[in-house]
Amino acid sequence: MWWCQPEPVSGSVCTVARAMAGAAALALLALPFTAHASHASESEPPTHSTLPGAVVNGQIVNEISLVLDREGVLHAEERIAFGGGGPEEFTREFVIREPYDTDHDRLYRLSGLKAVNGEGAPVEVATSENGTVLTADIAVAGASEVVLDYTVEGTAGQLGDRLELEWTAVGGYSLPVDETKVTVDAERPPLALSCAAGDPRSSIYCTSSDMGGHQALIARFLQADLGAGQTLSIVVSYPGSAARSAHILSKNWSLTSAFAITPATGSVFGLLLVVLVGGLVVLIRVRGRDERALRAEARLGDHAPVEEGGGTLRFHPPDDVHPGQIGTLIDEQADVVDITATVLDLAVRGYLTIEELPHEHFASVDWLLERAGRRGEQDLLPYEQLLLDALFYDRDSIRLSELGEGFAQRLAGVRNELYRDMVRLRWFARKPNLERNQWTTTGIGLTVFGVVTTIVLATYTSAAFTGLAIVIAGAAVTVGAQYMPAKTRLGSAVFAHTLGFRAYLHRAGVEDIPPGRRVQLFSRYLPYAIIFDNVERWARILAAAGSEEEAELPWYHGPENWGLDDFADSIKTFTLTLSGVISNTRQFRALG
């Protein structure tokens, strides 16, 4: 932008042509106006300027007089003259917001806007804003002159050791204006000035500017032929003591500024993260972590699960736990594996038989499940009885392929009873699924609260970064909910025995059990091997023992030409198919 400053000796005016401000020819053409301006300023009071002249018919001329007071408030008077009479309505626009830097906008507060005509009668002015521009619709009603009065705050701001007044004196007209004259007065004389005119954000210098003659007491600007919608911006530099710096800045919203990482936001973020996540870790250790049994407890279960009774060996698992109970105790969830292992355990114990149906090679396999009779079922645990009823549902036999959504719906009661068993046996203080769901809900709620808090902080502050700590903490609680169910001391001891039992099944061999009892006892091992993910190994051990003892499995029957050599593959396929039937049902997947 061009600056115009007084000469140190002569104090002559500076006149700049709109297109080629430095060209000598246009400077010569501007001399008559300069001479006239100098003469006029010398004949007028030193701190006021009057720009007289008759308005030609059809022309519009606007004379704007601005006075900057000591408080940095700009007082304005505009005289808009319409040659031959004005239109019914004339619109004048004022820029009230414009970019200042990457993070701020500069605001101009315009107030007290009123209008009268040439005879002093009030003129109606309707205003509206769109955020950056205030539009004043003036009901001219054919008057030849309208006078506007208003004040503007925010035009003066400190720049180094100077005070700089910056204002878009004309934010736009609704009609072309032939001549716009602006004078700016203050308690101290100007040091430099500049202007720009044309389309918004134009950098083209205005028609002319000067400092009011050799005394350089006021700033004057002239713009000819200002088109509709075009603007005239002025800048005047004063000594720093001329007025109070009163520019107004509004912080802009941006993703970068909203999530600004500052010492303050970083400290709050770190504090929240330590308190929330650290508290969760402590809570998991105190409330949700198992009371670890001693290694000696684990050794109590690390042996063959048999005992002498009546002159023979009987199966006796550690703490007399059943496969479904062990599975729920280990991972604190009654899941597909637990249900599958319990079905196989019921078969091994004689409550149902599994018959592999004939099938072509590479064709899909199906099995027929038959209830062995209700005698002895009174000894079943509640969840085992519910599972048996869920399988057959008042029938004595059913194909595996016929189990569907109805079966999965009935499994809800089985799982709930398994969880209830955990409390009945005093392995958990509360049902694990309820404990887990409660903490999951808390975590989700905390995450949602953190997201909402972050959005609110991002909208109204620059501290949104701190809200992320709550989101992270909520996510941590949601994930940590899986570890919150708390085993009691008794539950931890049983858990340790179970780990010892698992270690035994992973290393034990056929030689641990004397011949003659291997098929029966290894059959009892098999459901537990499903829980411990070791079913294929024990299926082969069982098949080898059966072949050696020339024994048959009373609970599993194959088709014609099927032998125990095929058992390992058959039982593996059966468990995978049953698990698939259970897990592929929508109702089962939705259960907690």
Side-chain angles (χ1 to χ4, degrees):
M1 183 171 284
W2 290 63
W3 282 101
C4 196
Q5 295 179 301
E7 295 291 336
V9 178
S10 63
S12 62
V13 299
C14 175
T15 303
V16 185
R18 180 187 301 189
M20 299 292 292
L26 292 182
L28 290 174
L29 290 174
L31 283 176
F33 172 76
T34 305
H36 172 72
S38 298
H39 176 74
S41 67
E42 291 171 2
S43 63
E44 296 165 358
T47 59
H48 295 82
S49 176
T50 305
L51 301 173
V55 181
V56 178
N57 188 26
Q59 286 188 334
I60 302 177
V61 174
N62 188 12
E63 299 181 6
I64 305 174
S65 176
L66 305 175
V67 178
L68 181 67
D69 67 17
R70 289 287 301 171
E71 297 301 315
V73 178
L74 195 64
H75 300 266
E77 179 185 271
E78 292 190 25
R79 291 184 175 273
I80 307 174
F82 301 94
E88 283 299 311
E89 187 176 84
F90 183 76
T91 299
R92 170 80 161 83
E93 292 184 343
F94 301 89
V95 175
I96 57 174
R97 187 185 192 104
E98 62 183 7
Y100 181 76
D101 58 26
T102 55
D103 295 326
H104 298 85
D105 281 350
R106 186 168 182 175
L107 306 183
Y108 302 95
R109 294 176 181 164
L110 189 143
S111 60
L113 177 61
K114 59 183 179 179
V116 296
N117 59 23
E119 286 73 37
V123 173
E124 183 181 353
V125 180
T127 61
S128 61
E129 295 184 20
N130 66 0
T132 58
V133 173
L134 183 146
T135 301
D137 296 316
I138 308 167
V140 178
S144 60
E145 185 180 57
V146 172
V147 181
L148 301 179
D149 281 303
Y150 53 89
T151 58
V152 186
E153 297 178 63
T155 60
Q158 203 71 32
L159 187 65
D161 59 350
R162 294 187 177 188
L163 184 80
E164 189 172 275
L165 182 148
E166 186 173 356
W167 171 236
T168 303
V170 177
Y173 297 125
S174 59
L175 297 172
V177 174
D178 298 273
E179 192 173 72
T180 300
K181 306 170 185 178
V182 182
T183 63
V184 185
D185 197 0
E187 288 193 6
R188 300 290 298 274
L191 301 177
L193 52 83
S194 179
C195 60
D199 294 330
R201 314 303 299 173
S202 170
S203 60
I204 300 176
Y205 209 85
C206 62
T207 302
S208 68
S209 64
D210 65 54
M211 296 190 186
H214 69 279
Q215 293 182 343
L217 297 178
I218 61 174
R220 301 192 298 193
F221 304 89
L222 171 68
Q223 177 60 39
D225 301 324
L226 201 60
Q230 292 186 328
T231 65
L232 171 62
S233 301
I234 62 170
V235 180
V236 184
S237 180
Y238 291 102
S241 60
R244 185 174 67 87
S245 176
H247 71 293
I248 306 167
L249 298 181
S250 174
K251 193 170 182 62
N252 291 329
W253 187 94
S254 68
L255 201 60
T256 302
S257 62
F259 288 86
I261 302 177
T262 64
T265 58
S267 299
V268 174
F269 175 85
L271 181 62
L272 284 174
L273 207 58
V274 169
V275 171
L276 294 175
V277 178
L280 174 66
V281 172
V282 171
L283 191 62
I284 289 176
R285 291 179 63 88
V286 172
R287 180 184 178 87
R289 187 180 177 184
D290 300 334
E291 295 187 41
R292 302 299 183 187
L294 300 176
R295 291 186 179 180
E297 292 283 354
R299 295 194 194 101
L300 296 178
D302 190 0
H303 58 77
V306 295
E307 64 178 8
E308 293 282 350
T312 184
L313 290 177
R314 292 187 303 116
F315 178 73
H316 182 74
D319 302 291
D320 202 25
V321 293
H322 293 212
Q325 293 173 329
I326 282 186
T328 305
L329 177 67
I330 290 175
D331 61 11
E332 299 162 352
Q333 297 191 60
D335 52 26
V336 174
V337 176
D338 305 332
I339 301 296
T340 302
T342 301
V343 170
L344 195 61
D345 186 53
L346 290 172
V348 170
R349 289 157 57 193
Y351 294 102
L352 63 94
T353 58
I354 304 171
E355 180 183 352
E356 183 178 331
L357 299 177
H359 58 89
E360 297 294 331
H361 195 51
F362 297 123
S364 59
V365 188
D366 201 358
W367 290 264
L368 179 68
L369 307 181
E370 289 189 276
R371 201 164 189 164
R374 300 179 184 273
R375 190 175 5 174
E377 289 186 5
Q378 67 274 9
D379 297 328
L380 292 174
L381 296 175
Y383 80 89
E384 294 174 329
Q385 184 66 63
L386 287 174
L387 178 57
L388 203 59
D389 293 340
L391 278 170
F392 295 102
Y393 200 55
D394 295 331
R395 289 179 291 182
D396 292 328
S397 64
I398 188 172
R399 286 177 178 245
L400 189 62
S401 59
E402 295 174 346
L403 295 175
E405 293 295 325
F407 172 59
Q409 289 175 340
R410 295 188 290 274
L411 284 180
V414 178
R415 299 182 75 185
N416 191 53
E417 192 59 44
L418 258 175
Y419 287 128
R420 188 178 289 114
D421 229 23
M422 298 296 102
V423 179
R424 180 183 61 80
L425 293 169
R426 293 180 301 184
W427 295 348
F428 288 88
R430 295 182 62 198
K431 290 198 290 186
N433 59 325
L434 295 182
E435 191 81 27
R436 188 166 44 249
N437 292 342
Q438 177 183 333
W439 282 100
T440 300
T441 302
T442 301
I444 293 173
L446 187 60
T447 302
V448 171
F449 174 73
V451 170
V452 173
T453 301
T454 302
I455 292 174
V456 172
L457 291 175
T459 303
Y460 298 104
T461 72
S462 299
F465 179 66
T466 59
L468 295 179
I470 303 177
V471 177
I472 294 172
V477 171
T478 304
V479 174
Q482 308 304 313
Y483 307 99
M484 294 307 291
K487 293 183 181 71
T488 62
R489 184 176 298 275
L490 175 61
S492 296
V494 175
F495 178 71
H497 300 162
T498 298
L499 295 182
F501 183 26
R502 181 177 64 179
Y504 170 77
L505 287 184
H506 274 80
R507 74 167 190 279
V510 66
E511 66 280 355
D512 290 358
I513 302 297
R517 298 289 295 163
R518 290 173 177 172
V519 172
Q520 180 186 4
L521 291 175
F522 291 167
S523 293
R524 296 298 305 273
Y525 290 4
L526 201 58
Y528 296 88
I530 293 176
I531 297 294
F532 299 139
D533 195 24
N534 198 22
V535 63
E536 190 171 355
R537 175 172 180 266
W538 277 103
R540 296 192 184 284
I541 292 175
L542 175 58
S547 298
E548 181 181 335
E549 296 179 2
E550 298 182 355
E552 294 184 354
L553 299 178
W555 55 273
Y556 193 98
H557 308 292
E560 188 179 357
N561 298 324
W562 182 90
L564 278 178
D565 291 341
D566 303 312
F567 174 73
D569 292 332
S570 292
I571 200 65
K572 178 181 178 182
T573 306
F574 172 78
T575 55
L576 289 175
T577 304
L578 178 58
S579 297
V581 168
I582 298 171
S583 61
N584 287 335
T585 53
R586 177 174 55 83
Q587 288 89 343
F588 188 88
R589 291 196 303 269
L591 296 174

